[in-house]
Amino acid sequence: MSVELLQDLQQEVRRLFIAGSALAQGDLRIAKLQPQLKQLGESAPVFNRIAEASDAVLSASREDSAVKLLELATLLSAVLHTQGKTETVGELQSIQSESIDLPTDMPYRRLKPLLDILSTKGQGRLEQLRQAVQDGVHLDLRALPMMCSALDETFPEIAELVAETIRTGYGDSALPLLRRQINLQGGKGDARRLLLIERLAGSEAESLVLDAAENGSVDLKIAAISTLGEYAQHESLLLEMSREKRKEVRQAAFDSLASLGTDAALNRLFEALTSSKDRELAIEPIRIANSTALIQRIIQLAEQSLETYMRSEGKERGAAIEQLNAELLCLHGSGTVVSNRNSYWHRRINSSRASEALSDAVYAVVHKLLTTRDFIAPETEMVVENAAELLLTMNTEQGNRLLLELPQEKSIVFIGFRFRAAYRLMSPAELFRAFAPMLETPSSNAARELLHVIEQLVSEQTDSSDMDASTTALAECWDSRWIHAFVKADAALLVTQFAHKPDRVVTEYLTSSLGKNASLNRHIDQRILFALYRIGYKDTPELVFGLLERRYYYYNDDNIQQLIALMPRSYIPRLRELALKPNVARPEELIAIADAMEAAPAEIIEESGPSLWRWIRNKLS
Amino acid sequence: MNTITEAYVDSLAPNAGAIKNGRDLVRKNSFPVRCITVDHTLLFGECKGSGKEPYRCSIDFIQEGSPVFRCTCPSRQFPCKHTLGLLYAYASSSSSFETSDIPAEIADKRDKAEKREEKKQAVEKEGAAKAPRKVNKSALVKKITAQLEGIAILEKLVLQVVHNGLGSIDKKMVQLIEEQAKQLGNYYIPGAQAALRELLLLLREDGDREANYGYAIEQLIYLQALVKKSRTYLEQRAEQPDLPMETDSTLEELLGHAWQLAELRELGRTKPNTELLQLAFLSYADHASNEFVDHGWWIDLEDGTIRVTRHMRPFRAAKQMKEEDSLFSIVQTDELLIYPGELNARVRWEHARFREIGEADYHRVKQLAIASYPDVIKKVKNQIKNPLSDKMPAALVAFQSIERVNDDTYILRDAQNKQIPLATNLLEAPHQPHVILGLLQPEELRNQAALIVFRHELESGRLVAQIMSIVTDRRLIRLLY
């Protein structure tokens, strides 16, 4: 059966459908095919019928052309549908089967949403993916390839979750696909693949990892290098990588050298510390290495850098100070972040075991620093702070004494260090005498800094979260006169934290601090009310109720619940009445609180205070 | 009572949201009270709610194939998330259920339901004694006349498009056709209307209209064939309204008739005692008829016929309708209703029981697979050569091996080394079936059976197939859903 002829005719018919049957009359190209059709028709009748149908198209009038063309097309289509080829010429090859042991038992309604998450972009997919993984939807053979492809996701959190899921959910089963997919010249997705392969295949992946480290793209190099810190046999490769042109690669190499911890590795880190190019990169690796020998050398280096600084002038001075600063930073623990003073809240100081082992030597160099004449100056601010932080972390008596002697007049920041040191060394009364006078000019920078430090200390002392508005400073640790100093300095937050017993001045201050715009939603107002309760101000419940009446709240806030729960039982009916008012947003929450208060057993009420609150909170959750 | 598995509960849920909520409830330990009656016909319990009182829910299996869900929650959905949750709880730890007596209120409800059922059956018996529904002749003729008018409108449109040519179709023309399609809604031929909308979808593709010309031409051929055949049929019926409806072909359904189960019964199109195993499932949106379609492919364990279930959910009403899903149990029904159809007729059932699939069932399925490719290809070509036929018939075929040719083409090979070429673009899914083939066990690619769906590829002139599932001696591997 001459299918090609029919396919040729099909092409012409298609052309006419596009151009319009109105133009079909006498079409030359169809006419050309007629003789062949008729010839074949001699042996196969269907060709005759097709030839007749084509004739009809050629000779149709404009009005009939559409019908005739459709007839031809229908006949042709029917015939061609019976001529579909099913054999393919060529060599047969078997399909490689990886024998992954996963079922295909997920129903459509659960599987499709997961596959959609993995194949589309858009918001909200992270949470949906997390839920799907938690439900085990990914444990289906059909999800495996798409999960592995999803390592290339642009949203890093999704990609990380995918990596984690592949590791824990599929394990070795994913290896064949990962190996097939990985491209050593790829980007972050392929870097994740490499890490997964290394994690899952262990030593079997060595040649791939080495290939990536030496010949891969930057992302692949970094990933490969990060896995090489386990075995000494890769030392020379790591040393080589630590001299690569790209900074990120050198950083990765330093990190791994730190894990390796061999002599040659530590020497390289020391060398890096002394070069202005790699100084910054070497700091964290040195901390991680935690080697007392290395730290010892760095301490000696610091002493030299100090001398260099004192001797030099101009540009050299600037370089020396940077060098000295880097050396000091090495003495802190891993993960330490000493940023700009203005962002104190982002500061994180960790201690280093190596430095602690060498605490005398550390003290010695810091002592030299801080007592060298004229060293403490605006240009050396950073270094001095770092040194002070070191002393603070190490918390030795001699270190604290040295801190106390910091010249406050040279920098406001020293107030904080001095105060913390003094807090450790002095008695509460001594501490008060030494520092309270600063608060007498409450608007001065010094006073503000002092209040700031005290707030931090108090917050560090209390165990609970910042959100709890009822926390207080530990009364035993502080002189009782502080609170009046705070009142005079209008430091409302501290007043609330230091209010333990009845006091007319304090009460007056607190009640007047509850301004016109007081609200149970404002943290400071919550604190004031807790403090008033604590010192026994009898009108506190009425104050709280007044604020409740003023507007609606979301009553499932711990602080608000507690403030209400502290009211005497006589308030319970008034609370129920309030819940019925129209502007209350969630009356059932308010009623629940009233119910819990009412249901409290007598013994608990007698104890009152924290145990009553715990009982009520339990009931409400 | 059937064994209650997670998959069974999934199948009862109306949609994915209910599944999630039901599971969440179990996870959060919201069922402090869980009971089961001694005779295992009732599961009941209490679920913590957001109010003061817990919700009381129960699942009644007194009629095995159709469980009754009852719950005191205000939700209008049945089964609600509380009953589903209770079922999930049972599926995962039946031992945590206390044996207990049936609560009085449920016993009451059962009584009432029984009485209602008895009354209904009495009425039905009475009704059955009467003659079958009388057809209102004049109304029917009126309807047929309208249908013929609609057909005429359609024909005029088709001829106009062919006359002017596909290349000439501009925005204005598309709008015109759209309006006409809307108009056809008044002529009782929704099936033809949907077919016209299909053509519109092909023409409206702003992207690559050229690529669609082939399909557009096929659709025009289809429309013209529909016009011709229905005109003959309808004219016949207009003259003799007493003639029964056509069931040798799918013409009625193509015009848009929705067969009622009562009609199918009257026509004797039922099969008793049937066991069906679902081999594949797919759900998709049909933008031509504006509905979601839940499509299942099943094999009749008795004679190997491949049956199809098609559950339509119009977009507008979709939320209220139950979504179907992949099913991992064997369906047993006393009455299988069979629609007029071709190789894969559509079926439905009203009552069903479920049983677990065993290895014996997989053996049976493999036995039923068609061994010779020339045989099945002949059958397929015989069907698809007809312009009005289902162009994507499915079949269960045995294969000696799944292999590659020339690096990029996958094929099935039968015991006589005949081939069927494989494609992956006939049914849409985000995952790649051929990648998954490479992950199977080597023996699963040899001497097994496959459910495949055929289509004639216009551009290449090949008859290709897509594998939906592979049946081995031990399991069913779903490459689709």
Side-chain angles (χ1 to χ4, degrees), chain A residues 17-18 20-22 77-78 80 82 84-90 92-93 95-100 102 104-105 107-110 112 115 135 142, chain B residues 23 27 162-163 165-167 213 218 283 294 323-326 328 381 385 404 406-407 419 421 431 438-442 456 461 463 475 478 480-481:
Chain A
F17 262 92
I18 298 173
S21 70
S77 173
L80 284 172
T82 65
K85 284 200 293 284
T86 54
E87 298 289 323
T88 313
V89 173
L92 293 175
Q93 303 145 324
I95 298 171
Q96 190 178 14
S97 28
E98 304 286 356
S99 303
I100 308 293
L102 276 174
T104 57
D105 293 342
Y108 172 87
R109 298 288 167 204
R110 292 177 69 195
K112 177 88 178 3
L115 297 180
D135 290 336
R142 293 164 289 180
Chain B
R23 286 173 191 269
R27 213 181 291 143
V162 175
H163 188 267
L166 291 170
Y213 280 153
E218 291 291 303
S283 181
D294 298 330
E323 297 172 347
E324 289 188 347
D325 202 356
S326 325
F328 299 89
K381 284 182 174 175
K385 74 181 185 202
R404 274 183 316 154
N406 303 331
D407 280 335
Q419 297 175 9
H431 52 292
L439 302 177
L440 299 175
Q441 317 285 330
H456 180 85
L463 177 66
R475 64 170 177 158
R478 292 179 186 239
L480 188 64
Y481 287 112

Coordinates of all heavy atoms in Angstrom, one line a residue, chain A residues 17-18 20-22 77-78 80 82 84-90 92-93 95-100 102 104-105 107-110 112 115 135 142, chain B residues 23 27 162-163 165-167 213 218 283 294 323-326 328 381 385 404 406-407 419 421 431 438-442 456 461 463 475 478 480-481:
Chain A
F17 N -7.2 23.2 3.3 CA -8.0 23.5 4.5 C -7.5 24.8 5.0 O -8.3 25.6 5.6 CB -7.8 22.4 5.6 CG -9.0 21.4 5.6 CD1 -8.9 20.2 4.9 CD2 -10.1 21.7 6.4 CE1 -9.9 19.3 4.9 CE2 -11.1 20.8 6.4 CZ -11.1 19.6 5.7
I18 N -6.3 25.1 5.0 CA -5.7 26.3 5.5 C -6.1 27.5 4.6 O -6.5 28.6 5.0 CB -4.2 26.3 5.7 CG1 -3.9 25.1 6.7 CG2 -3.7 27.6 6.2 CD1 -2.4 24.9 6.9
G20 N -8.5 27.5 2.3 CA -9.9 27.6 2.0 C -10.3 26.8 0.8 O -9.6 26.8 -0.2
S21 N -11.4 26.1 1.0 CA -11.9 25.2 -0.1 C -12.3 26.0 -1.3 O -12.4 25.5 -2.4 CB -13.0 24.3 0.4 OG -14.2 25.1 0.6
A22 N -12.6 27.2 -1.1 CA -13.0 28.1 -2.3 C -12.0 28.1 -3.4 O -12.3 28.3 -4.5 CB -13.3 29.5 -1.8
S77 N -8.5 10.4 5.8 CA -8.1 10.2 7.2 C -8.4 8.8 7.7 O -7.6 8.2 8.4 CB -8.9 11.2 8.1 OG -8.7 11.0 9.4
A78 N -9.6 8.3 7.3 CA -10.0 6.9 7.7 C -9.0 6.0 7.2 O -8.5 5.1 7.9 CB -11.4 6.6 7.1
L80 N -5.8 6.5 6.3 CA -4.5 6.7 6.9 C -4.5 6.1 8.3 O -3.5 5.6 8.8 CB -4.1 8.1 6.9 CG -3.6 8.6 5.6 CD1 -3.4 10.1 5.6 CD2 -2.3 8.0 5.2
T82 N -5.8 3.5 9.2 CA -5.5 2.1 9.2 C -4.1 1.7 8.8 O -3.7 0.6 8.8 CB -6.5 1.4 8.2 OG1 -6.1 1.8 6.9 CG2 -7.9 1.6 8.5
G84 N -1.3 3.1 10.1 CA -0.3 3.6 11.1 C 0.8 2.5 11.3 O 0.5 1.3 11.4
K85 N 2.1 3.0 11.3 CA 3.2 2.1 11.4 C 3.5 1.8 12.9 O 3.3 2.7 13.7 CB 4.5 2.8 10.8 CG 4.5 2.8 9.3 CD 5.9 3.0 8.8 CE 6.5 4.4 9.2 NZ 6.0 5.4 8.3
T86 N 3.8 0.6 13.1 CA 4.1 0.2 14.5 C 5.5 -0.4 14.7 O 6.0 -0.6 15.8 CB 3.1 -0.8 15.1 OG1 3.1 -1.9 14.2 CG2 1.8 -0.2 15.2
E87 N 6.2 -0.7 13.6 CA 7.5 -1.3 13.7 C 8.6 -0.2 13.6 O 8.4 0.8 12.8 CB 7.8 -2.3 12.6 CG 6.8 -3.5 12.7 CD 7.1 -4.4 13.9 OE1 8.3 -4.6 14.2 OE2 6.2 -4.9 14.5
T88 N 9.6 -0.2 14.3 CA 10.7 0.7 14.2 C 12.0 0.0 13.8 O 12.3 -1.0 14.5 CB 11.0 1.4 15.6 OG1 9.7 1.9 16.1 CG2 11.9 2.6 15.4
V89 N 12.6 0.5 12.8 CA 13.8 -0.2 12.3 C 15.0 0.2 13.2 O 15.2 1.4 13.4 CB 14.1 0.2 10.8 CG1 15.4 -0.4 10.4 CG2 12.9 -0.3 10.0
G90 N 15.8 -0.7 13.6 CA 17.0 -0.4 14.3 C 17.4 -1.5 15.3 O 16.6 -2.4 15.5
L92 N 17.8 -3.2 18.8 CA 17.1 -3.2 20.0 C 18.1 -3.2 21.2 O 19.1 -3.9 21.2 CB 16.3 -4.5 20.2 CG 15.1 -4.6 19.2 CD1 14.4 -5.9 19.4 CD2 14.1 -3.5 19.4
Q93 N 17.9 -2.3 22.1 CA 18.8 -2.1 23.3 C 17.9 -2.3 24.6 O 16.8 -1.8 24.6 CB 19.4 -0.8 23.3 CG 20.2 -0.5 22.1 CD 20.2 1.0 21.8 OE1 19.1 1.7 22.0 NE2 21.3 1.6 21.3
I95 N 16.8 -1.7 28.5 CA 16.7 -0.5 29.3 C 17.4 -0.8 30.6 O 17.1 -1.9 31.2 CB 15.2 -0.1 29.6 CG1 14.5 0.2 28.3 CG2 15.1 1.0 30.6 CD1 13.0 0.4 28.5
Q96 N 18.2 0.1 31.0 CA 18.9 -0.1 32.3 C 17.9 0.0 33.5 O 17.2 1.0 33.6 CB 20.0 0.9 32.4 CG 21.0 0.6 33.6 CD 22.1 1.6 33.7 OE1 22.0 2.7 33.0 NE2 23.1 1.3 34.4
S97 N 17.8 -1.0 34.3 CA 16.9 -0.9 35.4 C 17.6 -0.8 36.7 O 18.4 -1.7 37.1 CB 15.9 -2.1 35.4 OG 16.5 -3.2 34.8
E98 N 17.3 0.2 37.5 CA 18.1 0.5 38.7 C 17.5 -0.3 39.9 O 18.0 -0.2 41.0 CB 18.1 2.0 39.0 CG 18.6 2.8 37.9 CD 20.1 2.7 37.8 OE1 20.7 2.0 38.6 OE2 20.7 3.3 36.8
S99 N 16.4 -1.0 39.8 CA 15.8 -1.8 40.9 C 15.6 -1.0 42.1 O 16.0 -1.3 43.2 CB 16.7 -3.0 41.2 OG 16.9 -3.7 40.1
I100 N 14.9 0.2 42.0 CA 14.6 1.0 43.2 C 13.4 0.4 43.9 O 12.4 0.1 43.3 CB 14.3 2.4 42.8 CG1 15.4 3.0 41.9 CG2 14.1 3.3 44.0 CD1 16.7 3.2 42.6
L102 N 10.6 1.0 45.6 CA 9.6 1.9 46.1 C 8.2 1.5 45.4 O 8.3 1.1 44.2 CB 9.9 3.4 45.7 CG 10.8 4.2 46.6 CD1 11.1 5.5 46.0 CD2 10.2 4.4 48.0
T104 N 4.1 2.2 44.0 CA 3.4 3.2 43.3 C 2.0 3.2 43.9 O 1.0 3.2 43.1 CB 3.4 3.0 41.8 OG1 2.8 1.7 41.5 CG2 4.7 3.1 41.2
D105 N 1.9 3.3 45.2 CA 0.7 3.2 45.9 C 0.0 4.5 46.3 O -1.1 4.4 46.9 CB 0.8 2.3 47.1 CG 1.2 0.9 46.8 OD1 1.0 0.5 45.6 OD2 1.7 0.2 47.7
P107 N -2.4 7.4 46.0 CA -3.5 7.7 45.1 C -3.3 9.1 44.5 O -2.6 9.9 45.0 CB -4.7 7.7 46.0 CG -4.2 7.9 47.4 CD -2.8 7.4 47.4
Y108 N -4.0 9.3 43.4 CA -4.0 10.6 42.6 C -4.1 11.8 43.5 O -3.3 12.8 43.4 CB -5.0 10.6 41.5 CG -5.2 11.9 40.8 CD1 -4.4 12.2 39.7 CD2 -6.1 12.8 41.2 CE1 -4.6 13.4 39.0 CE2 -6.3 14.0 40.5 CZ -5.5 14.3 39.4 OH -5.7 15.5 38.7
R109 N -5.1 11.8 44.4 CA -5.4 13.0 45.2 C -4.3 13.4 46.1 O -4.2 14.5 46.5 CB -6.7 12.8 46.0 CG -7.9 12.5 45.2 CD -8.5 13.7 44.4 NE -9.5 13.3 43.4 CZ -9.8 14.1 42.4 NH1 -9.2 15.2 42.2 NH2 -10.7 13.6 41.5
R110 N -3.5 12.4 46.5 CA -2.3 12.8 47.3 C -1.1 13.0 46.6 O -0.3 13.9 46.9 CB -2.1 11.7 48.4 CG -3.3 11.6 49.4 CD -3.1 10.5 50.3 NE -2.0 10.8 51.2 CZ -1.4 9.9 52.0 NH1 -1.8 8.6 52.0 NH2 -0.4 10.2 52.8
K112 N -0.7 13.9 43.2 CA -0.7 15.0 42.2 C -0.3 16.4 42.9 O 0.5 17.1 42.3 CB -2.1 15.1 41.5 CG -2.2 16.3 40.6 CD -1.8 15.9 39.2 CE -1.9 16.9 38.1 NZ -2.4 18.2 38.3
L115 N 3.4 16.5 43.2 CA 4.1 16.6 41.9 C 3.9 18.1 41.3 O 4.8 18.6 40.7 CB 3.5 15.6 40.9 CG 3.8 14.2 41.2 CD1 3.2 13.3 40.1 CD2 5.2 13.9 41.4
D135 N 3.5 13.5 55.6 CA 2.5 12.5 55.3 C 3.1 11.3 54.5 O 2.4 10.4 54.2 CB 1.3 13.1 54.6 CG 0.5 14.0 55.4 OD1 0.6 13.9 56.7 OD2 -0.2 14.9 54.9
R142 N 7.1 7.4 41.6 CA 6.8 8.4 40.6 C 7.3 9.8 41.1 O 7.5 10.7 40.4 CB 5.3 8.5 40.3 CG 4.9 7.3 39.6 CD 3.4 7.1 39.6 NE 2.9 6.8 41.0 CZ 1.6 6.6 41.2 NH1 0.7 6.7 40.3 NH2 1.2 6.3 42.4
Chain B
R23 N -7.3 13.4 58.8 CA -6.0 12.9 59.4 C -5.5 13.8 60.5 O -5.0 13.3 61.5 CB -4.9 12.8 58.3 CG -5.1 11.7 57.3 CD -4.1 11.9 56.2 NE -4.4 11.0 55.1 CZ -3.9 9.8 55.0 NH1 -3.1 9.3 55.9 NH2 -4.2 9.0 54.0
R27 N -4.3 12.9 64.3 CA -2.9 13.2 64.8 C -3.0 14.0 66.1 O -2.2 13.9 67.0 CB -2.2 14.0 63.7 CG -0.7 13.8 63.7 CD 0.0 14.6 62.6 NE -0.4 14.2 61.3 CZ -0.6 15.1 60.3 NH1 -0.4 16.3 60.5 NH2 -0.9 14.6 59.1
V162 N -14.5 25.8 6.5 CA -13.7 25.1 5.5 C -13.6 25.9 4.2 O -12.6 26.0 3.6 CB -14.4 23.7 5.2 CG1 -13.6 23.0 4.1 CG2 -14.3 22.8 6.5
H163 N -14.7 26.6 3.9 CA -14.7 27.4 2.7 C -13.7 28.5 2.8 O -13.0 28.7 1.8 CB -16.1 27.9 2.6 CG -16.4 28.6 1.3 ND1 -16.2 30.0 1.1 CD2 -16.8 28.2 0.1 CE1 -16.5 30.3 -0.2 NE2 -16.8 29.2 -0.8
G165 N -11.2 28.8 4.9 CA -9.9 28.4 5.3 C -9.5 28.7 6.7 O -9.9 29.7 7.2
L166 N -8.7 27.8 7.3 CA -8.3 28.0 8.7 C -7.4 29.2 8.8 O -7.3 29.9 9.8 CB -7.5 26.8 9.2 CG -8.4 25.5 9.4 CD1 -7.5 24.3 9.6 CD2 -9.4 25.7 10.5
G167 N -6.6 29.5 7.8 CA -5.7 30.6 7.8 C -6.4 31.9 7.9 O -5.8 32.9 8.4
Y213 N -3.1 22.9 13.3 CA -4.0 22.8 12.1 C -4.4 21.3 11.9 O -5.5 21.1 11.5 CB -3.2 23.3 10.9 CG -3.3 24.8 10.7 CD1 -2.3 25.5 10.1 CD2 -4.4 25.5 11.3 CE1 -2.4 26.9 10.0 CE2 -4.4 26.9 11.2 CZ -3.4 27.6 10.5 OH -3.5 29.0 10.4
E218 N -8.9 17.4 11.8 CA -9.5 16.2 12.3 C -10.8 16.6 13.0 O -11.8 15.9 12.9 CB -8.6 15.5 13.3 CG -7.4 14.9 12.7 CD -7.7 13.7 11.8 OE1 -8.4 12.8 12.3 OE2 -7.3 13.7 10.6
S283 N -7.4 12.4 36.4 CA -8.4 13.4 36.5 C -8.0 14.6 35.7 O -6.8 15.0 35.8 CB -8.6 13.8 38.0 OG -9.6 14.8 38.1
D294 N -13.2 12.6 36.1 CA -12.4 11.6 36.8 C -12.5 10.4 36.0 O -13.6 9.8 35.9 CB -13.0 11.4 38.2 CG -12.9 12.7 39.1 OD1 -12.0 13.5 38.8 OD2 -13.8 12.8 39.9
E323 N -15.0 13.9 44.6 CA -13.9 13.6 43.7 C -13.6 12.2 43.8 O -13.5 11.6 44.8 CB -12.7 14.4 44.1 CG -12.8 15.9 44.1 CD -11.6 16.6 44.7 OE1 -10.8 15.9 45.4 OE2 -11.5 17.8 44.6
E324 N -13.4 11.5 42.6 CA -13.0 10.1 42.6 C -11.4 10.1 42.7 O -10.8 11.1 42.6 CB -13.5 9.4 41.4 CG -15.0 9.2 41.5 CD -15.6 8.3 40.4 OE1 -14.8 8.1 39.4 OE2 -16.7 7.9 40.5
D325 N -10.9 8.9 42.9 CA -9.5 8.8 43.1 C -9.0 7.4 42.7 O -9.8 6.5 42.3 CB -9.2 9.0 44.6 CG -7.8 9.4 44.9 OD1 -7.0 9.4 43.9 OD2 -7.5 9.6 46.0
S326 N -7.7 7.2 42.7 CA -7.2 5.9 42.4 C -7.7 4.9 43.5 O -7.9 5.3 44.6 CB -5.6 5.9 42.6 OG -5.1 7.1 42.1
F328 N -7.4 1.0 45.2 CA -6.5 -0.1 45.4 C -7.2 -1.3 45.9 O -6.6 -2.1 46.6 CB -5.3 0.3 46.3 CG -4.5 1.5 45.7 CD1 -4.9 2.8 46.0 CD2 -3.5 1.3 44.9 CE1 -4.2 3.9 45.4 CE2 -2.7 2.3 44.3 CZ -3.1 3.6 44.6
K381 N -7.2 -0.3 14.9 CA -7.4 0.4 13.7 C -8.8 0.4 13.2 O -9.3 1.4 12.6 CB -6.4 -0.2 12.6 CG -5.0 0.2 12.9 CD -4.0 -0.4 11.8 CE -2.6 0.2 12.0 NZ -1.7 -0.4 11.0
K385 N -10.6 4.1 12.6 CA -10.8 4.6 11.2 C -12.1 5.3 11.1 O -12.3 6.1 10.2 CB -10.7 3.4 10.3 CG -11.9 2.5 10.3 CD -11.7 1.3 9.3 CE -13.0 0.5 9.2 NZ -12.8 -0.8 8.8
R404 N 14.5 -0.3 24.1 CA 14.7 0.9 23.3 C 15.2 0.5 21.9 O 15.9 -0.5 21.7 CB 15.8 1.7 24.0 CG 15.3 2.6 25.1 CD 16.4 3.5 25.6 NE 17.6 2.7 25.9 CZ 18.8 3.2 25.9 NH1 19.0 4.5 25.7 NH2 19.9 2.4 26.2
N406 N 17.3 2.6 18.7 CA 17.9 3.8 18.3 C 18.0 4.9 19.3 O 17.8 6.1 19.1 CB 17.1 4.4 17.1 CG 17.0 3.5 15.9 OD1 17.9 2.6 15.7 ND2 16.0 3.6 15.1
D407 N 18.3 4.4 20.6 CA 18.5 5.4 21.7 C 17.4 6.1 22.2 O 17.3 6.5 23.4 CB 19.6 6.4 21.3 CG 21.0 5.7 21.4 OD1 21.1 4.8 22.2 OD2 21.9 6.2 20.8
Q419 N 6.2 -5.2 17.4 CA 6.4 -4.1 18.2 C 5.2 -3.2 18.3 O 4.4 -3.1 17.4 CB 7.6 -3.3 17.7 CG 8.9 -4.0 17.7 CD 10.0 -3.1 17.0 OE1 9.7 -1.9 16.7 NE2 11.1 -3.6 16.8
P421 N 5.2 1.0 19.2 CA 6.1 2.1 19.7 C 5.4 2.9 20.8 O 4.2 3.0 20.9 CB 6.2 3.0 18.4 CG 5.0 2.7 17.6 CD 4.6 1.3 17.9
H431 N 5.0 13.9 35.7 CA 6.2 13.0 35.9 C 6.4 12.3 34.6 O 5.6 12.2 33.7 CB 6.0 12.1 37.0 CG 4.7 11.3 37.0 ND1 3.5 11.8 37.1 CD2 4.5 10.0 36.7 CE1 2.6 10.9 37.0 NE2 3.1 9.7 36.8
G438 N 13.1 3.1 34.0 CA 14.5 2.8 34.3 C 14.7 2.6 35.8 O 15.8 2.2 36.1
L439 N 13.7 2.8 36.6 CA 13.9 2.5 38.0 C 13.4 1.2 38.5 O 13.6 0.8 39.6 CB 13.3 3.7 38.8 CG 13.7 5.1 38.5 CD1 12.9 6.1 39.3 CD2 15.2 5.3 38.7
L440 N 12.7 0.5 37.6 CA 12.1 -0.8 38.0 C 13.1 -1.9 38.1 O 14.2 -1.8 37.8 CB 11.0 -1.1 37.0 CG 9.8 -0.1 36.8 CD1 8.9 -0.5 35.7 CD2 9.1 0.0 38.1
Q441 N 12.6 -3.1 38.6 CA 13.4 -4.3 38.7 C 13.5 -4.8 37.2 O 12.6 -4.7 36.5 CB 12.7 -5.3 39.5 CG 12.2 -4.8 40.8 CD 13.2 -4.5 41.9 OE1 14.3 -5.2 41.9 NE2 13.0 -3.6 42.7
P442 N 14.6 -5.4 36.9 CA 14.8 -5.9 35.5 C 13.7 -6.9 35.1 O 13.2 -6.9 34.0 CB 16.2 -6.6 35.5 CG 16.7 -6.5 36.9 CD 15.8 -5.6 37.7
H456 N -3.3 7.4 16.9 CA -2.6 7.5 15.6 C -2.0 8.9 15.6 O -2.6 9.9 15.8 CB -3.7 7.4 14.5 CG -3.1 7.5 13.1 ND1 -2.5 6.4 12.5 CD2 -2.9 8.6 12.3 CE1 -2.0 6.8 11.3 NE2 -2.2 8.1 11.2
G461 N 2.6 9.5 11.1 CA 1.9 8.3 10.5 C 2.1 7.1 11.2 O 2.0 6.0 10.7
L463 N 1.2 4.5 14.6 CA 0.2 4.2 15.6 C 1.0 4.0 16.9 O 1.8 3.0 17.0 CB -0.6 3.0 15.3 CG -1.6 2.5 16.4 CD1 -2.7 3.5 16.5 CD2 -2.2 1.1 16.0
R475 N 2.7 -7.2 41.7 CA 2.1 -5.9 42.0 C 1.7 -5.2 40.7 O 2.0 -5.6 39.6 CB 3.2 -5.0 42.7 CG 4.4 -4.7 41.9 CD 5.2 -3.6 42.6 NE 6.5 -3.3 41.9 CZ 7.1 -2.2 42.0 NH1 6.7 -1.2 42.8 NH2 8.3 -2.0 41.4
R478 N 1.8 1.6 38.7 CA 1.1 2.7 38.1 C 2.1 3.7 37.6 O 2.8 4.3 38.4 CB 0.1 3.3 39.0 CG -1.0 2.4 39.4 CD -2.0 3.1 40.3 NE -3.0 2.2 40.8 CZ -4.3 2.3 40.6 NH1 -4.7 3.4 40.0 NH2 -5.2 1.5 41.1
L480 N 1.1 6.1 35.6 CA 0.3 7.3 35.5 C -0.2 7.7 36.9 O 0.5 8.2 37.6 CB -0.9 7.1 34.4 CG -1.7 8.3 34.1 CD1 -0.8 9.4 33.4 CD2 -2.8 7.9 33.2
Y481 N -1.4 7.3 37.2 CA -1.9 7.5 38.6 C -2.7 6.3 39.1 O -3.4 5.7 38.3 CB -2.9 8.7 38.6 CG -2.1 10.0 38.5 CD1 -2.3 10.8 37.3 CD2 -1.2 10.5 39.4 CE1 -1.6 12.0 37.2 CE2 -0.6 11.7 39.3 CZ -0.7 12.4 38.2 OH 0.0 13.6 38.0

